[in-house]
Amino acid sequence: MPELKEQYVGAVIGTGRIGMLLEQDPLRLKPATHFGMMNSHPRISFQAICDAEPEKFDIARSMNPDIACYTDPRKLLEDVRPDVVSIATWRDTHYEMMKLAMEAGARVIICEKPIAESSAHAEEVVREARERGVELLINHRRRFDPLLYPFRDDLRNGIIGEIVQVHCIYVYGLVTTGTHMVDALRFLLNPVAGEMVWVAGYPNVKQHFAPGDDPNIDAVIGFENGLKVFMQSSNIQDYDIFDFTFYGRTGMAQFYNIGRNIDIFKVAESPEHRGFTELAREPAERRGGAPRDLFTKMADNAIDCLEGRATSLSTGEDSLKALEVLLAIQRSAAANSQRIELD
């Protein structure tokens, strides 16, 4: 039985945009960052941050005057010995930071996506976490959205009938943002379509803005039951978008507005062609509509893991699978869109 505490010691490594700075965006629902999540949760004693740029420390102290500030993650982990660590550093450091946190005795590690940059590193981290009894919570944020759990159940129970086509669109880099799309597709479709079993990747030749080492790539993803998902990319400098459309035999479901909304459309008699049916013009049901507090949901899950009431809602194993899919899409795009089978 784990030791229960009134509060658990927390720390954040990496205080960039998603680590801390977006907490200053007046439009974002708070908490909007790992810092805000730790700083606001009643069961977390938020004690320390680490960043390579000390100029961020004044911002941190303006929100938490008592916060200890470090530039060396090893020193932070040795001094503070946190129960839960949030890692929001550049993706090429996730592997190293998670290894350090496990060695320092952290019992729950929250880490930004992707889990690592190579399958070998991801497999090593997942294996070591399992051996040490450490829970990994990878910030594939849709797994912390309470609206999606009943939606997933409804898809499985046939709210739009058998799903026959899925289209989705993302922006800003296959690994940077596409990882959210791949993970959300697995989360929503595995119960009805099985696992992802093959991919084909297609470079996006249109002008788009993305990290220099992570271009936009379009893809077709095949599932066990034969369902094909078409995943396309767009330019975030035109507008932000993260949308899914699920076509079923008896209706259609749209998950849109960067995930704020879900609409369910039914089939209706055609107003124009006798004997034909169409999708209704207006949704039969609308869900959501406003931002939801996903960071607090993630912190709640971390506390439940620490106290033995739950396991991770966004596991290292799930993130490993998403990474393998993404890397296969990259390989396919580099090999003239060759279809690649997944293990």
Side-chain angles (χ1 to χ4, degrees):
M1 183 69 182
E3 178 189 356
L4 304 184
K5 303 177 183 179
E6 184 175 341
Q7 286 191 315
Y8 295 88
V9 175
V12 171
I13 301 175
T15 56
R17 283 172 52 81
I18 198 64
M20 180 183 69
L21 299 180
L22 290 177
E23 210 65 30
Q24 299 180 306
D25 183 342
L27 293 182
R28 290 181 184 254
L29 180 68
K30 305 300 187 293
T33 64
H34 293 260
F35 185 104
M37 171 185 69
M38 292 277 192
N39 204 37
S40 62
H41 201 279
R43 299 293 309 281
I44 294 175
S45 173
F46 183 28
Q47 296 190 12
I49 62 167
C50 180
D51 199 279
E53 300 175 351
E55 55 267 28
K56 295 174 184 172
F57 295 164
D58 287 342
I59 299 173
R61 292 189 183 104
S62 73
M63 294 184 283
N64 183 336
D66 298 323
I67 199 76
C69 300
Y70 293 80
T71 56
D72 182 350
R74 288 182 183 273
K75 180 65 172 168
L76 180 153
L77 293 166
E78 289 171 1
D79 290 351
V80 178
R81 295 291 174 181
D83 299 299
V84 55
V85 177
S86 263
I87 297 169
T89 52
W90 292 107
R91 67 177 188 267
D92 60 358
T93 68
H94 290 175
Y95 164 76
E96 177 189 1
M97 293 299 108
M98 283 190 285
K99 294 275 287 183
L100 289 176
M102 285 190 282
E103 291 167 6
R107 296 163 54 198
V108 170
I109 298 173
I110 298 169
C111 185
E112 270 304 310
K113 47 69 188 170
I115 187 172
E117 289 204 304
S118 72
S119 293
H121 280 172
E123 289 170 0
E124 181 183 341
V125 166
V126 168
R127 183 173 58 251
E128 183 173 345
R130 189 184 304 120
E131 291 170 354
R132 291 179 179 267
V134 175
E135 287 283 352
L136 300 179
L137 280 66
I138 309 302
N139 190 22
H140 283 116
R141 58 198 308 263
R142 275 78 196 176
R143 290 183 183 264
F144 301 102
D145 186 345
L147 193 68
L148 288 192
Y149 285 84
F151 178 56
R152 179 177 64 173
D153 291 342
D154 288 339
L155 290 177
R156 182 175 62 234
N157 293 330
I159 193 170
I160 59 170
E162 179 191 5
I163 298 173
V164 294
Q165 295 285 356
V166 180
H167 300 162
C168 49
I169 189 164
Y170 74 96
V171 293
Y172 197 62
L174 178 70
V175 176
T176 304
T177 306
T179 182
H180 285 298
M181 187 149 279
V182 167
D183 185 72
L185 286 167
R186 289 189 66 245
F187 173 76
L188 292 169
L189 293 176
N190 278 179
V192 295
E195 189 53 88
M196 295 176 172
V197 294
W198 63 267
V199 301
Y202 302 84
N204 186 334
V205 298
K206 299 291 186 180
Q207 179 182 353
H208 64 264
F209 180 73
D213 61 347
D214 183 25
N216 284 358
I217 298 177
D218 300 337
V220 181
I221 302 173
F223 283 75
E224 280 183 84
N225 76 341
L227 176 67
K228 294 189 292 293
V229 172
F230 295 83
M231 179 173 141
Q232 296 178 293
S233 55
S234 191
N235 184 9
I236 194 172
Q237 291 182 323
D238 295 335
Y239 46 81
D240 197 4
I241 188 168
F242 187 86
D243 288 5
F244 299 72
T245 304
F246 302 86
Y247 296 92
R249 294 197 182 276
T250 61
M252 177 183 75
Q254 290 184 322
F255 176 47
Y256 65 103
N257 280 347
I258 324 296
R260 292 188 295 273
N261 296 70
I262 296 175
D263 285 356
I264 310 295
F265 293 82
K266 297 299 186 180
V267 173
E269 294 293 327
S270 172
E272 184 180 358
H273 303 111
R274 184 183 297 275
F276 286 82
T277 56
E278 302 175 2
L279 288 168
R281 301 287 196 273
E282 296 295 326
E285 183 181 354
R286 287 196 146 146
R287 306 179 186 180
R292 293 173 290 282
D293 185 357
L294 310 187
F295 269 109
T296 295
K297 178 73 171 177
M298 183 160 58
D300 289 342
N301 186 213
I303 298 299
D304 287 343
C305 290
L306 286 166
E307 298 188 338
R309 290 191 301 274
T311 55
S312 171
L313 292 174
S314 186
T315 67
E317 287 83 357
D318 285 319
S319 187
L320 169 59
K321 181 63 179 181
L323 179 65
E324 290 172 341
V325 172
L326 296 166
L327 295 178
I329 291 171
Q330 288 180 336
R331 293 197 303 274
S332 172
N336 296 318
S337 304
Q338 174 185 347
R339 172 168 157 161
I340 293 182
E341 304 295 326
L342 302 170
D343 293 333

